[in-house]
Amino acid sequence: MDLIFLIPFSCLLFTLSGAAIDPTSGVCYGQLGNNLPSPSKSVELIKSLKAGRVKLDNVNPKILTALSNTNIPVTITVPNKIITAIASNQTLADEWVTSNVARFYPKTKIQTVLVGKQVLSQPDNVTWFNLVPAMYRIRKSHGLFEHFYPPSSANFRSNVANTVIKPLLHFINHTKSFFFVDVYPYYAWASDPKNIDLNYALLEANTKWYLDEPVGLFFTNLLEQMLDAVYFAMKGAGYPDIRLSISETGWPNGGGVDQSGANIHNAAVYNKNVIKILTEIPLRGTPYKPFVALTSFISALYNENQKPGPETERHFGLFYPNGTSIYPINLSGKST
Ligand SMILES: *[C@@H]1O[C@H](CO)[C@@H](O)[C@H](O)[C@H]1NC(C)=O
Ligand SMILES: *[C@@H]1O[C@H](CO)[C@@H](O)[C@H](O)[C@H]1NC(C)=O
Ligand SMILES: *[C@@H]1O[C@H](CO)[C@@H](O)[C@H](O)[C@H]1NC(C)=O
Ligand SMILES: *[C@@H]1O[C@H](CO)[C@@H](O)[C@H](O)[C@H]1NC(C)=O
Ligand SMILES: *[C@@H]1O[C@H](CO)[C@@H](O)[C@H](O)[C@H]1NC(C)=O
């Protein structure tokens, strides 16, 4: 079985207010639709989901203002296109933080600042707007790894390991930050539905087991298998103690022309299982890192009609653009 994992990377710049680990799931508030509800209506929906966190792919002053006084932890993202400029100009970096973080904090509980979205998974100079197409992401991110499978043999490709990954991991380790990964078992399954069991990808309990023999670890679902591949790759790079956080995960609720797996039922099953697994008490962790807390963001708040790429890309929402929920879901993990 040749598994392809979709794990584009986001780089964590810093966390504010100590990044308390709350295993409640968050939601990615994507905004690539021209028919989406207003920020204040969206904040009401986010509250109704009992989302533990919300992540923005940018910094939107209207949304940050709407999130003020809600006490919902917010993750914002430094846009890819200014990363290079900021990297070489402290003044610019300071200005960015002043106008995008300090201006809203602490009224808006900005907790985490991500630098870039899927930076390492895209070719130079192609902004993420052009990048999202699913298969493209798989191919690109695949290039980061030499092996993923079995998870215990996962490692970063030697050319990126030394020039990009190791300095990044060094920084994260030094600042006790998290390594943020986008993990989409859906894409792994969609790339090889014959060999990957759908229920294994949907995190359904007691479906299929997979034994990673060299380390004697049993995997019961694809998400944990993918996460452990990242842990093992970080260990191989010399950083066994870095914590992971899931910056995005999700399952499309439609749009699969030839992907019967992209439907409302499977999206509901997957997202509910993610929430269940991540909010289990005592903390479940992964087979390789049991009991270790994992935070996550479900992608996305809405079906976004202007997202590029295959039709499934526009069907990752928990809500239709009119604010009607697509299936009942509760991110608190407290309801069945
Ligand atoms: C750094 O950024 C500041 C603020 O945007 C700008 O005024 C300055 O010219 C930049 N410096 C360089 C060397 O580009
Ligand atoms: C990106 O494009 C700009 C303008 O075309 C160019 O100056 C720069 O070198 C490019 N950067 C990379 C990393 O290719
Ligand atoms: C990572 O951080 C820990 C704790 O600060 C430190 O003990 C360890 O040496 C660091 N690892 C590397 C490879 O720098
Ligand atoms: C919202 O949109 C969905 C999908 O188009 C539709 O099924 C639903 O009836 C709409 N709800 C309202 C209240 O208009
Ligand atoms: C989510 O679960 C919480 C806790 O059980 C409950 O208070 C809330 O009403 C639920 N929200 C939805 C939208 O079901």
Side-chain angles (χ1 to χ4, degrees), residues 179-309:
F179 195 36
F180 278 74
V181 290
D182 294 359
V183 192
Y184 284 100
Y186 167 74
Y187 291 114
W189 171 79
S191 72
D192 192 8
K194 281 205 184 73
N195 289 312
I196 302 174
D197 184 64
L198 178 59
N199 284 325
Y200 188 72
L202 287 172
L203 326 181
E204 288 283 72
N206 303 320
T207 49
K208 208 168 177 178
W209 290 60
Y210 163 67
L211 171 64
D212 187 342
E213 251 183 274
V215 288
L217 294 177
F218 277 101
F219 290 92
T220 55
N221 68 67
L222 188 51
L223 177 73
E224 291 176 349
Q225 190 183 321
M226 292 166 82
L227 292 170
D228 274 351
V230 181
Y231 278 129
F232 275 112
M234 292 197 295
K235 181 179 176 226
Y239 295 89
D241 300 319
I242 290 178
R243 294 166 296 174
L244 278 187
S245 182
I246 304 172
S247 44
E248 284 186 22
T249 190
W251 194 282
N253 57 57
V257 178
D258 45 19
Q259 285 302 349
S260 55
N263 59 51
I264 292 179
H265 176 261
N266 288 349
V269 166
Y270 177 82
N271 284 327
K272 282 175 186 176
N273 283 337
V274 169
I275 292 158
K276 195 168 127 225
I277 284 173
L278 297 184
T279 56
E280 248 178 53
I281 304 288
L283 291 174
R284 168 174 166 137
T286 63
Y288 177 46
K289 296 267 187 181
F291 316 121
V292 172
L294 282 159
T295 58
S296 76
F297 293 93
I298 304 292
S299 187
L301 191 56
Y302 301 117
N303 277 353
E304 296 163 74
N305 68 359
Q306 293 181 327
K307 271 181 96 174

Side-chain angles (χ1 to χ4, degrees), residues 89 91-92 95:
N89 188 334
T91 312
L92 195 58
E95 279 177 9

Side-chain angles (χ1 to χ4, degrees), residues 8-131:
F9 293 81
S10 302
C11 312
L12 179 68
L13 176 58
F14 54 84
T15 61
L16 297 163
S17 65
I21 300 170
D22 169 6
T24 311
S25 287
V27 64
C28 298
Y29 181 173
Q31 300 143 54
L32 293 179
N34 61 2
N35 55 355
L36 303 181
S38 67
S40 55
K41 168 77 180 158
S42 301
V43 168
E44 290 311 309
L45 294 173
I46 289 164
K47 282 186 189 160
S48 77
L49 286 170
K50 301 280 172 214
R53 279 178 302 283
V54 60
K55 171 169 163 279
L56 308 178
D57 284 337
N58 55 11
V59 182
N60 181 318
K62 284 190 182 130
I63 294 173
L64 288 177
T65 303
L67 283 164
S68 66
N69 302 318
T70 59
N71 211 31
I72 299 172
V74 181
T75 293
I76 59 174
T77 307
V78 177
N80 291 356
K81 58 174 181 262
I82 63 167
I83 289 175
T84 312
I86 280 188
S88 58
N89 188 334
Q90 186 57 44
T91 312
L92 195 58
D94 294 346
E95 279 177 9
W96 193 90
V97 171
T98 304
S99 57
N100 297 294
V101 182
R103 195 174 133 207
F104 301 99
Y105 185 83
K107 265 183 149 172
T108 302
K109 203 170 162 191
I110 298 173
Q111 192 178 59
T112 305
V113 178
L114 296 175
V115 181
K117 183 181 164 72
Q118 298 160 3
V119 173
L120 299 183
S121 59
Q122 48 184 296
D124 290 355
N125 273 353
V126 176
T127 63
W128 67 273
F129 286 102
N130 302 326
L131 204 268

